[in-house]
Each structure stands twice: as structure tokens, then as C-alpha cells.
Amino acid sequence: MKTKTLKQDKINIITLGCSKNIVDSEVLFSQLKANDFNVEHESKKEDANIIIINTCGFIDNAKQESIDTILRFAEAKQDGKIDKLFVTGCLSQRYKPELEKEIPDVDQYFGTLHLPQLLKTLGADYKHELIGERLLTTPQHFAYLKISEGCDRPCSFCAIPIMRGKHVSKSFEQIETEVKGLVKNGTKEILVIAQDSTFYGLDLYGDRKLAELLSRISDIEGADWIRLHYAYPSQFPMDALDVIRERNNICKYIDIPLQHISDNMLKTMRRGITKKRTLELVDTIRQKVSGIAIRTTLIAGHPGETEKDFEELCEFVETAKLDRVGIFTYSHEEGTHAGTMIDDVPQEVKEERAATIMDIQQGISAAINQQKIGKTFKVLFDRKEDGQFIGRTEFDSPEVDNEVMVDAKNNYVRIGDFADVKITEATDFDLIGTIIK
Ligand code: SF4
């Protein structure tokens, strides 16, 4: 295909999966724009004739969604509605040979780290000068900041190291350049993400440097909210908690996937930590950073999980009263350590256990929210919907946590602005309030 023809075409990028995939799509988007391509992200107009799907290959549901999306556009290509179809991202990285055989209508499959090759195929040059610069697909006022790629951890259930490779930290300087670029373009909230953010620096600087990184980001004028995601419990860098406590522009919030609590399961999952040390860590986080909101993720139904293990998990969720809990049902993934085990927990039991945990957490979330009635919180407003302005407190991350609703009839705020909100009502997972003039 002649390079020239591609430029007159229209490209639509489809992103599936996690925030790390969103960042990859934003980098691709920026590169194509800088090459003067007519490109959009998640356009609903169906007027693009070249489709790039950035897939997710994490667990069953996500894989199925990626395959369904590829098949949908493969059909559109057969029907002549589109000319070219390219697939990249984790599913493509993990199953390229199988996908090439099963869905040959795709023009080319690329891996997670093959951006230059994808650009070359489209007739675009990889612009090094763009490193650190990126067009956002999120609202301009918040952005994901990927501080590293890959993961060195041996978690039994996880296929991410297969798809993303070994842990590679970005340098302090590259990250600072990226944050300055984002802030210059109006971003106020920086969501620090990685596969394992607490591993930051070990590969590059020979030591855990998350605390220093958070300080450096916090020093950047205009970074009003900095939020830490994907912290790993084992060998947790305690000095990071001091920085979170001391810096006003670092949200009193931490996302720390624990996955389970029983010693039997933590050992089987190869998490490198015990129940006792996990409980101590949660206590230390709360002691060192008063009022911090803790988000975690848990897995129900991992091979070997007994009724007793699950009771321990329920008891932990009941007593730890964490602010935000997400739960996955175990997905049997070939190529992982757990993939070599017998998937001995029936699917319906997995789902029952996940539902039980969410029921417990719903009660805890409701109680935590009730305590917020009458209090005033700084809220960052994300959107206006159904006659309400909707935002989040520093204790809530976009897409996954609670929201604050303010009636648009009696209140006004610009999207992307902060405002102080007095909470007047609370539901299990959201807050309602009025803006304090
Ligand atoms: S820390 Fe564990 S669960 Fe997270 S990406 Fe790495 S291997 Fe997967």
C-alpha cells in the first residue's frame, strides 16, 4: 500500500482494558496526530476506514471483549465498511499466532511494545521529540501517568508479565517532563499508575524510589492532586507514606491490591507476604497518614481456596473496613503458575464468594459515607449528567470509586474545576451535596 494514500484516510483507535492501555493509546494517538493523520479515539461516527484496536488480555471476560471487538470490525472489513484493521495490545501480544490463524481478516497484529512498528506500517514516523507529550483521551483535568512498564513479580494468577515483560522504570526526568507537559495543558489530577508502582526505581536506580518520585511530582507547580495506584504490599516503601502525609497536593488515598488475606492463599498466590504483615501494613498506612482512604482488590476462588480461607477473607473485609474494595473471580490463565494447578473452585462458588464480599463491602461503604454527611470536601468536577454536576473527593479515583452529585439547578461549577461541597445525603456508594459559595 502506498504511504501517501494512508494519510488521506481516517483512523479510529479503540481502547480496551486498563489505564495502562489508555496511556498507550494516547501515545499512539499523539504520534499519529503529529504525523498529520486524521485520527480519532473511540469515535462513534463510524466514518473511519482504518481501525486500530488496543486489546486487553488479562482475564476471561476481558479477553472475550477484545475478541468480540476484533470480530465486529473483521466483519465490517468483510462488508467493505472499513479498509484496514490493525490489532495491538495485550491480547495480541499473548496470542498473536492463534489470532493470525483464527481471525486472518486483521491486516496485522502487534505486541504491547511495538509502537514504532505499528507507526511504520501506517506510514508514520516515530517522533522521539514527542516523548513525554501526549494528547489525552480522559477529560483534560485528570490524566494517568504510567511510571514504568512490565512487572517482575511472580503472582500465581497473573499473565501480565507474559504480556508486558519485565519491570522497566521511566527516569525521574522523563516523568517530570511528562507531568510538566500535562499540567501545562490544564491537567490538575495526576494518577500514578504501573503494574507495581512500589517497585519504581529498583531496576534503574538500584533502590525503591517511589517516595522521591512522589516528592518530585509534588514539587511541580499545578499538580494539584497526585494519586497513587497499584502499590504492592510486600516490601512496601514506608518512606512513600511520609511523603503522602507531608504533601498537601498528594491525595490521602492509596490503591493497594492485596488479593487475599489467608496465609494459605497468600502463599499459594506467591504474594511474598503473610496475613500478619498485611494487617500490620494496613495499620501502619493508617497510622502514618491519618484519614487516608484505602482501595484494594481481592480475588475469589483461586485454586486451593478453602471455605476456611474464604471465611478469613470475609472476616478481614468486615474488620479492616477498607474504603474501597473491588473483587474479581479467579480466571484460569494458561502460562501462569496457577494455570498449572487444578481450577478446583466451581464457577458458581467463585461468583457466590465474590457477591458475598461485595455485600459486606456495600454495608461498610454505606456506613463510611453516612459519617460524611454534614462535612465539607474539596471536589474535582468531572462531568454534568442528568441535571447534576458529578465529581470526586480526594478519596475517590475516576471510573472505580465513589462520586459526589450536586444538583445543577441550584449550583454551578465549571467541569474540571474544584469546589468545596457540603455533604447533605449519602447512598451506599455515592454522596450528594451543595457547593459552598
Ligand atoms: S504485581 Fe502481580 S498481579 Fe500485579 S501485574 Fe505484577 S504479577 Fe500481576
Side-chain angles (χ1 to χ4, degrees):
M1 174 183 259
K2 284 199 301 324
T3 307
K4 193 168 162 322
T5 51
L6 268 176
K7 285 219 169 160
Q8 279 125 27
D9 290 311
K10 182 162 184 183
I11 298 175
N12 189 16
I13 301 170
I14 311 288
T15 302
L16 303 168
C18 69
S19 52
K20 283 141 277 191
N21 247 18
I22 290 174
V23 172
D24 292 351
S25 286
E26 291 173 345
V27 171
L28 169 62
F29 186 47
S30 312
Q31 287 281 343
L32 290 171
K33 278 275 187 194
N35 278 274
D36 303 322
F37 278 61
N38 181 1
V39 57
E40 290 197 338
H41 182 260
E42 305 270 343
S43 164
K44 298 284 176 284
K45 282 178 260 158
E46 298 200 346
D47 59 354
N49 63 328
I50 297 176
I51 303 294
I52 303 171
I53 306 171
N54 186 6
T55 58
C56 176
F58 185 38
I59 55 175
D60 275 353
N61 307 355
K63 291 193 287 188
Q64 195 53 52
E65 185 193 13
S66 291
I67 291 165
D68 294 346
T69 307
I70 298 171
L71 289 172
R72 179 156 61 84
F73 285 104
E75 199 180 312
K77 189 177 172 209
Q78 283 161 6
D79 300 346
K81 291 190 186 123
I82 64 170
D83 300 329
K84 290 276 178 190
L85 176 56
F86 299 101
V87 173
T88 185
C90 290
L91 187 83
S92 184
Q93 175 75 33
R94 191 172 174 192
Y95 297 109
K96 191 162 178 273
E98 295 87 340
L99 289 166
E100 282 171 341
K101 220 170 43 243
E102 303 292 329
I103 318 178
D105 295 287
V106 171
D107 292 271
Q108 200 166 344
Y109 290 92
F110 296 88
T112 49
L113 306 173
H114 296 154
L115 175 62
Q117 291 86 337
L118 171 55
L119 289 170
K120 194 156 180 285
T121 303
L122 293 165
D125 309 321
Y126 181 72
K127 298 193 178 289
H128 290 275
E129 68 276 19
L130 272 186
I131 289 183
E133 290 262 339
R134 115 183 98 94
L135 297 167
L136 299 183
T137 60
T138 55
Q140 194 64 42
H141 60 269
F142 75 80
Y144 295 105
L145 176 75
K146 187 157 72 166
I147 63 173
S148 60
E149 185 56 274
C151 187
D152 287 11
R153 301 278 184 180
C155 305
S156 61
F157 50 84
C158 185
I160 291 173
I162 301 170
M163 301 179 283
R164 293 273 169 180
K166 285 291 186 192
H167 184 104
V168 179
S169 299
K170 288 181 184 174
S171 70
F172 287 134
E173 294 71 25
Q174 187 183 349
I175 293 170
E176 287 169 315
T177 304
E178 202 166 330
V179 174
K180 287 176 183 155
L182 291 168
V183 166
K184 198 177 76 222
N185 295 330
T187 298
K188 297 173 179 173
E189 180 182 7
I190 305 284
L191 297 124
V192 175
I193 61 170
Q195 305 302 351
D196 170 6
S197 53
T198 47
F199 204 95
Y200 179 77
L202 259 181
D203 56 315
L204 193 55
Y205 304 113
D207 197 3
R208 293 174 188 278
K209 291 289 189 184
L210 180 61
E212 180 175 347
L213 178 66
L214 290 174
S215 306
R216 286 175 176 241
I217 298 172
S218 165
D219 289 341
I220 297 172
E221 184 69 30
D224 298 332
W225 270 5
I226 298 152
R227 189 182 299 282
L228 179 61
H229 277 262
Y230 302 103
Y232 193 91
S234 165
Q235 298 130 330
F236 185 93
M238 294 303 178
D239 53 354
L241 296 173
D242 301 327
V243 178
I244 293 174
R245 181 186 62 248
E246 289 152 13
R247 301 293 183 114
N248 293 336
N249 61 346
I250 300 184
C251 297
K252 304 306 172 259
Y253 175 96
I254 188 168
D255 164 47
I256 181 165
L258 298 173
Q259 310 300 3
H260 214 288
I261 196 63
S262 79
D263 282 324
N264 173 39
M265 274 294 102
L266 289 171
K267 192 159 180 288
T268 308
M269 287 177 163
R270 308 200 306 179
R271 294 288 289 174
I273 194 167
T274 62
K275 177 174 183 173
K276 182 170 175 296
R277 286 182 27 236
T278 303
L279 296 176
E280 286 165 359
L281 176 60
V282 171
D283 285 351
T284 304
I285 290 173
R286 285 174 164 159
Q287 276 157 25
K288 280 196 167 233
V289 188
S290 124
I292 192 168
I294 302 178
R295 154 171 272 282
T296 198
T297 308
L298 305 170
I299 294 177
H302 185 283
E305 186 184 57
T306 63
E307 200 45 55
K308 180 179 170 303
D309 292 320
F310 181 65
E311 280 158 20
E312 273 188 66
L313 189 61
C314 291
E315 196 245 339
F316 168 66
V317 173
E318 272 152 7
T319 52
K321 297 191 184 328
L322 301 175
D323 303 80
R324 321 272 180 252
V325 172
I327 184 141
F328 288 96
T329 53
Y330 169 75
S331 175
H332 207 47
E333 298 296 323
E334 79 276 356
T336 65
H337 178 66
T340 65
M341 301 175 187
I342 299 167
D343 186 7
D344 56 1
V345 180
Q347 188 59 28
E348 65 275 9
V349 175
K350 287 181 182 135
E351 285 158 15
E352 276 163 25
R353 288 178 179 175
T356 303
I357 295 287
M358 282 326 290
D359 285 351
I360 297 170
Q361 185 58 25
Q362 184 160 357
I364 288 165
S365 180
I368 291 172
N369 278 357
Q370 285 301 317
Q371 288 163 4
K372 292 185 174 166
I373 294 176
K375 295 187 178 140
T376 297
F377 295 93
K378 183 180 178 182
V379 170
L380 179 57
F381 283 89
D382 294 321
R383 66 187 189 283
K384 185 179 179 188
E385 197 179 282
D386 304 334
Q388 303 193 84
F389 291 110
I390 299 173
R392 292 167 292 108
T393 71
E394 72 172 299
F395 309 116
D396 300 293
S397 194
E399 319 286 343
V400 289
D401 290 331
N402 295 12
E403 292 185 314
V404 179
M405 326 304 204
V406 167
D407 180 359
K409 273 201 294 312
N410 313 317
N411 297 273
Y412 177 74
V413 63
R414 256 185 340 184
I415 301 307
D417 277 4
F418 289 103
D420 290 339
V421 175
K422 183 168 185 181
I423 306 304
T424 53
E425 280 172 73
T427 65
D428 295 353
F429 292 115
D430 292 317
L431 301 169
I432 294 113
T434 54
I435 291 178
I436 305 290
K437 294 286 175 267

